[in-house]
Amino acid sequence: MNLALAISAAGLLIAGCSGSDGDGYTTPSSLCGIDVPADALEPVLPDGDSISASPTSSAYTKRCRLLIDAKPVFSAAVEWWGSSTTLQRVATDAIGVDPFDRATPDHNYIYSSTGAVGSVDCPNQKDLKGKIYVSVRTADATTEEKMKKFITSYSASVASSKECTRKWGQAQ
Protein backbone atom coordinates (compact mmCIF):
# COMPACT_ATOMS: atom_id res chain seq x y z
CA MET A 1 0.00 0.00 0.00
CA ASN A 2 1.51 3.34 -0.89
CA LEU A 3 1.98 6.06 1.72
CA ALA A 4 -0.74 8.38 0.39
CA LEU A 5 -3.30 5.56 0.46
CA ALA A 6 -2.23 4.52 3.97
CA ILE A 7 -2.59 8.08 5.27
CA SER A 8 -6.02 8.41 3.64
CA ALA A 9 -7.15 5.12 5.19
CA ALA A 10 -5.88 6.19 8.62
CA GLY A 11 -7.79 9.45 8.29
CA LEU A 12 -10.99 7.50 7.74
CA LEU A 13 -10.44 5.64 11.01
CA ILE A 14 -10.90 8.84 12.97
CA ALA A 15 -14.27 9.34 11.37
CA GLY A 16 -16.97 11.21 13.15
CA CYS A 17 -15.64 14.64 13.90
CA SER A 18 -16.70 17.16 16.46
CA GLY A 19 -16.62 20.89 16.18
CA SER A 20 -13.40 22.74 15.51
CA ASP A 21 -11.09 23.19 18.47
CA GLY A 22 -9.69 26.45 17.15
CA ASP A 23 -6.74 24.72 15.51
CA GLY A 24 -6.37 23.82 11.87
CA TYR A 25 -7.92 20.39 12.44
CA THR A 26 -11.23 19.15 13.80
CA THR A 27 -11.02 17.05 16.95
CA PRO A 28 -12.16 13.49 16.19
CA SER A 29 -15.03 11.95 18.12
CA SER A 30 -13.55 8.45 17.84
CA LEU A 31 -10.13 6.90 18.24
CA CYS A 32 -9.70 4.13 15.69
CA GLY A 33 -13.29 3.00 16.10
CA ILE A 34 -13.84 3.75 19.79
CA ASP A 35 -16.11 6.72 20.40
CA VAL A 36 -14.67 9.37 22.70
CA PRO A 37 -16.15 12.67 23.82
CA ALA A 38 -14.37 15.42 21.89
CA ASP A 39 -14.57 17.67 24.97
CA ALA A 40 -12.35 15.15 26.79
CA LEU A 41 -9.93 14.54 23.90
CA GLU A 42 -9.42 18.09 22.61
CA PRO A 43 -7.79 19.46 25.82
CA VAL A 44 -5.03 16.81 25.75
CA LEU A 45 -4.07 17.41 22.11
CA PRO A 46 -1.61 20.08 20.93
CA ASP A 47 -2.29 22.73 18.30
CA GLY A 48 -1.67 21.92 14.67
CA ASP A 49 -3.00 22.02 11.13
CA SER A 50 -3.84 18.38 10.37
CA ILE A 51 -4.63 15.20 12.28
CA SER A 52 -4.52 11.52 11.30
CA ALA A 53 -4.65 8.18 13.09
CA SER A 54 -2.38 5.17 12.94
CA PRO A 55 -3.99 2.02 14.38
CA THR A 56 -2.13 -1.16 15.34
CA SER A 57 -3.38 -4.37 16.93
CA SER A 58 -1.97 -7.55 18.37
CA ALA A 59 -3.49 -10.46 20.23
CA TYR A 60 -3.58 -8.50 23.51
CA THR A 61 -3.40 -4.80 22.59
CA LYS A 62 -5.29 -2.41 20.34
CA ARG A 63 -3.44 0.90 19.96
CA CYS A 64 -4.40 4.15 18.26
CA ARG A 65 -1.72 6.76 17.66
CA LEU A 66 -2.69 10.27 16.65
CA LEU A 67 -0.38 12.31 14.47
CA ILE A 68 -0.69 16.06 14.27
CA ASP A 69 1.14 17.64 11.36
CA ALA A 70 2.62 14.16 10.69
CA LYS A 71 4.20 13.96 14.18
CA PRO A 72 3.10 11.30 16.70
CA VAL A 73 1.68 13.20 19.66
CA PHE A 74 -0.87 10.93 21.36
CA SER A 75 -1.36 7.22 21.91
CA ALA A 76 -4.30 5.37 23.41
CA ALA A 77 -4.39 1.61 24.00
CA VAL A 78 -6.88 -1.03 25.07
CA GLU A 79 -5.05 -3.95 26.65
CA TRP A 80 -6.05 -7.37 27.92
CA TRP A 81 -4.23 -8.52 31.06
CA GLY A 82 -4.50 -11.59 33.27
CA SER A 83 -7.23 -11.48 35.90
CA SER A 84 -4.77 -11.04 38.79
CA THR A 85 -3.11 -7.96 37.24
CA THR A 86 -3.39 -4.74 39.25
CA LEU A 87 -3.68 -1.19 38.00
CA GLN A 88 -0.29 -0.44 39.57
CA ARG A 89 1.25 -3.25 37.50
CA VAL A 90 -0.24 -1.79 34.32
CA ALA A 91 1.12 1.65 35.28
CA THR A 92 4.58 0.12 35.75
CA ASP A 93 4.65 -0.88 32.07
CA ALA A 94 2.96 2.26 30.74
CA ILE A 95 4.84 5.24 29.33
CA GLY A 96 4.02 8.66 30.76
CA VAL A 97 2.61 7.43 34.07
CA ASP A 98 4.09 5.87 37.19
CA PRO A 99 2.37 3.57 39.72
CA PHE A 100 2.88 6.27 42.37
CA ASP A 101 1.28 9.11 40.39
CA ARG A 102 -2.13 10.48 41.38
CA ALA A 103 -4.94 7.96 41.71
CA THR A 104 -8.68 8.37 41.92
CA PRO A 105 -10.27 7.56 45.30
CA ASP A 106 -11.80 4.38 43.86
CA HIS A 107 -8.32 3.30 42.62
CA ASN A 108 -9.62 2.70 39.08
CA TYR A 109 -7.33 5.31 37.48
CA ILE A 110 -3.75 6.52 37.84
CA TYR A 111 -2.80 9.68 35.97
CA SER A 112 -0.14 12.33 35.43
CA SER A 113 0.24 15.29 33.09
CA THR A 114 1.75 13.01 30.40
CA GLY A 115 -0.16 9.74 30.71
CA ALA A 116 -2.75 7.64 32.47
CA VAL A 117 -4.02 4.11 32.97
CA GLY A 118 -7.49 2.96 33.85
CA SER A 119 -9.49 -0.12 34.63
CA VAL A 120 -12.38 -0.91 32.26
CA ASP A 121 -15.59 -2.15 33.84
CA CYS A 122 -17.00 -4.40 31.11
CA PRO A 123 -20.62 -5.47 31.64
CA ASN A 124 -19.72 -9.13 30.95
CA GLN A 125 -16.22 -9.09 32.45
CA LYS A 126 -16.63 -12.59 33.90
CA ASP A 127 -16.55 -14.06 30.40
CA LEU A 128 -13.19 -12.47 29.55
CA LYS A 129 -10.98 -14.68 31.75
CA GLY A 130 -8.86 -11.60 32.26
CA LYS A 131 -9.14 -7.85 32.70
CA ILE A 132 -9.19 -4.95 30.26
CA TYR A 133 -7.20 -1.80 30.98
CA VAL A 134 -6.71 1.37 28.97
CA SER A 135 -3.58 3.48 28.79
CA VAL A 136 -2.86 6.84 27.18
CA ARG A 137 0.18 9.02 26.75
CA THR A 138 0.88 12.35 25.17
CA ALA A 139 4.09 13.81 23.79
CA ASP A 140 3.26 17.26 25.16
CA ALA A 141 2.34 17.54 28.83
CA THR A 142 -1.15 18.69 29.68
CA THR A 143 -2.67 19.05 33.16
CA GLU A 144 -3.37 16.14 35.46
CA GLU A 145 -7.05 17.09 35.59
CA LYS A 146 -7.38 17.07 31.79
CA MET A 147 -5.67 13.67 31.63
CA LYS A 148 -7.96 12.35 34.39
CA LYS A 149 -11.03 13.54 32.47
CA PHE A 150 -9.80 11.87 29.30
CA ILE A 151 -8.89 8.49 30.87
CA THR A 152 -12.21 8.22 32.72
CA SER A 153 -14.15 9.09 29.54
CA TYR A 154 -12.07 6.73 27.40
CA SER A 155 -12.50 3.88 29.87
CA ALA A 156 -16.28 4.36 29.86
CA SER A 157 -16.28 4.42 26.04
CA VAL A 158 -14.28 1.19 25.89
CA ALA A 159 -16.68 -0.43 28.39
CA SER A 160 -19.57 0.17 25.99
CA SER A 161 -17.61 -0.88 22.88
CA LYS A 162 -17.02 -4.21 21.16
CA GLU A 163 -13.67 -4.44 22.99
CA CYS A 164 -15.53 -5.93 25.96
CA THR A 165 -16.76 -8.81 23.81
CA ARG A 166 -13.66 -9.19 21.63
CA LYS A 167 -11.96 -12.60 21.58
CA TRP A 168 -8.70 -11.50 23.23
CA GLY A 169 -5.64 -13.62 22.62
CA GLN A 170 -6.24 -13.81 18.86
CA ALA A 171 -4.67 -11.43 16.36
CA GLN A 172 -7.23 -8.91 15.15
Side-chain angles (χ1 to χ4, degrees), residues 7 13 20 31 37 49-50 56 61 83 89 91 95 104 124 126 128 137-138 141 164 167:
I7 291 171
L13 289 171
S20 175
L31 288 174
D49 293 321
S50 65
T56 57
T61 303
S83 57
R89 171 69 175 95
I95 298 171
T104 56
N124 297 313
K126 64 185 180 301
L128 289 175
R137 66 180 186 254
T138 184
C164 280
K167 293 193 184 308

Side-chain angles (χ1 to χ4, degrees), residues 33 62 77 86 89 92 99 115 125 138 147-149 156 162 167:
K62 179 179 180 178
T86 65
R89 171 69 175 95
T92 299
Q125 189 83 35
T138 184
M147 190 60 74
K148 176 183 168 187
K149 180 178 180 179
K162 64 180 178 159
K167 293 193 184 308

